[in-house]
Amino acid sequence: MMENKPLRKAILLAAYGASNFRGKECLRNFENQCRIKFPGVPVRWAFTSLPIIERLARERQKSDSIAKALMKLAYEKFDIVAVQPLQTIPGKEYEDVLAHVAYARDNSGLCCEVGQPLLNNAEDAEIAALALLADLPGDRKGDEDVIFMGHGARHPAAHLYEKLDAAIKLRDSRVHIGAMEGKNGLNEILPRLSSRRVWLIPLLSLMGKHAMEDMAGSSPFSWKSRLEENGHECAPVLHGMAENEAIAEIWLNHLRKAATCLTGNKE
Ligand code: CO
C-alpha cells in the first residue's frame, strides 16, 4: 500500500532585487514578517532584475532568478510552492513572473501558485490607501503635501495608481500618488502643491536606485531637486514599502490566498 507522504511546502518571495545594504534590510524585514505568518515553512528569495543578479554574482553573493529558485526547490523534493512577488501593480514585471513560474512548473513538476501584487482592484486600493495614511511621518503637519513616488508604467494596469490616488484623496486631499512613468508625473503634481515643506515617500517595495537616486538623489533630475527648484523644502522618507507593516500585510494576505489555492484550505 502507498503511504500518504505529507506534501513539502515552501514560499518563494520575488523582488526586483537588492544589492545595497538598505535594500537588503528591506528584504530581511519583510521576510521576518513572512516567517511570523507562516511558521515552519521554508522561505526563499528570487530576484527579477538580471543586472542585479549579475552584479551579485560578480561580488560572489548568492542570488537566484525565479526559474532557478524553483528548479532548486524541485531538486530538493519540495512539492508545492506559493510565490509572492513584491510588485505594486499587475504590469509587465508581474507578467514576467507569471511566465517564469509557468516555465519552471512545466519543467519541474512543482505545483505553484503566484500571489497577486499589491493593487489589483478597487478593494485593494482602499486597503492600501488606509495603510499608507496610517504610516505617514509623525512630524508631518496636516496642511503639508505628501507625495508617494511610484514606479508607474505604460501598461493598462497603471490605472490602479489612479484608483489608489482617488482612495487616498477621499481621506486626505494633500496626499498625492505620483509615478516616474506614465500618468501622474511630478509635472502634473507640482501645480497641486500648496505647502512649503513637501514630504516625499517611495511607493516602491525596496530602497533601491529609484528611491535613492530618482526620488531623493542630488542630481537636478531627482524629484527632490525638482521640488526644491520649485521653491519647496523637501523631506524625503527613506524606507521601502516592504518595511511598512500594513502594506507588507497586504502582500502576505495575497500570499496566504495563493497558498490556500495550493493546499485547498487545509494549512
Ligand atoms: Co525601473
Side-chain angles (χ1 to χ4, degrees):
M1 232 166 57
M2 286 273 286
E3 251 186 71
N4 233 349
K5 264 202 337 199
L7 292 174
R8 295 193 66 205
K9 299 177 253 183
I11 288 171
L12 181 63
L13 302 174
Y16 181 77
S19 56
N20 63 58
F21 176 78
R22 276 297 286 124
K24 286 179 190 161
E25 209 177 354
C26 293
L27 296 179
R28 244 190 332 268
N29 289 340
F30 186 81
E31 183 181 321
N32 288 340
Q33 220 175 316
C34 181
R35 286 184 192 279
I36 292 168
K37 291 252 162 166
F38 300 88
V41 184
V43 180
R44 305 276 173 87
W45 281 101
F47 291 164
T48 59
S49 159
L50 190 57
I52 289 191
I53 290 176
E54 286 172 346
R55 186 180 328 152
L56 290 170
R58 280 198 301 277
E59 293 167 5
R60 308 210 177 282
Q61 298 185 49
K62 219 181 71 186
S63 71
D64 289 333
S65 66
I66 287 177
K68 193 170 165 194
L70 288 173
M71 294 314 248
K72 277 188 186 171
L73 286 166
Y75 183 76
E76 293 169 46
K77 301 267 181 285
F78 280 90
D79 302 292
I80 53 184
V81 183
V83 183
Q84 183 59 49
L86 300 193
Q87 286 149 2
T88 311
I89 58 165
K92 170 82 171 71
E93 201 187 332
Y94 184 74
E95 289 165 356
D96 288 347
V97 170
L98 295 179
H100 289 306
V101 171
Y103 171 85
R105 182 178 49 211
D106 295 347
N107 287 280
S108 68
L110 272 180
C111 214
C112 303
E113 185 78 30
V114 182
Q116 292 179 313
L118 191 65
L119 305 171
N120 301 279
N121 48 44
E123 195 196 329
D124 286 340
E126 285 289 314
I127 304 171
L130 295 176
L132 294 181
L133 290 170
D135 199 43
L136 290 178
D139 293 349
R140 181 245 177 175
K141 301 201 175 68
D143 60 352
E144 287 175 338
D145 287 292
V146 177
I147 305 173
F148 283 95
M149 189 194 84
H151 194 283
R154 292 173 210 286
H155 186 281
H159 78 274
L160 289 159
Y161 285 107
E162 288 157 63
K163 279 222 163 22
L164 178 61
D165 190 57
I168 281 203
K169 288 248 161 36
L170 281 177
R171 296 164 175 99
D172 188 332
S173 61
R174 295 296 188 96
V175 181
H176 316 271
I177 299 296
M180 293 183 301
E181 272 177 48
K183 282 193 192 164
N184 274 347
L186 186 56
N187 284 340
E188 282 171 67
I189 296 174
L190 278 172
R192 299 182 211 142
L193 302 175
S194 53
S195 63
R196 174 158 162 76
R197 180 157 74 162
V198 174
W199 295 85
L200 199 47
I201 307 176
L203 182 62
L204 298 156
S205 56
L206 307 177
M207 280 300 297
K209 211 166 160 249
H210 286 319
M212 291 195 281
E213 294 176 18
D214 302 323
M215 189 193 89
S218 52
S219 102
F221 307 106
S222 77
W223 282 36
K224 176 173 179 279
S225 301
R226 288 164 64 197
L227 282 163
E228 287 167 353
E229 194 178 305
N230 280 272
H232 297 283
E233 184 192 311
C234 189
V237 174
L238 300 177
H239 70 192
M241 281 296 134
E243 292 176 299
N244 173 328
E245 275 190 31
I247 291 285
E249 178 117 16
I250 302 174
W251 273 310
L252 291 172
N253 285 339
H254 292 171
L255 172 60
R256 168 87 57 201
K257 237 197 244 170
T260 307
C261 273
L262 286 167
T263 52
N265 276 325
K266 43 183 193 303
E267 282 284 314

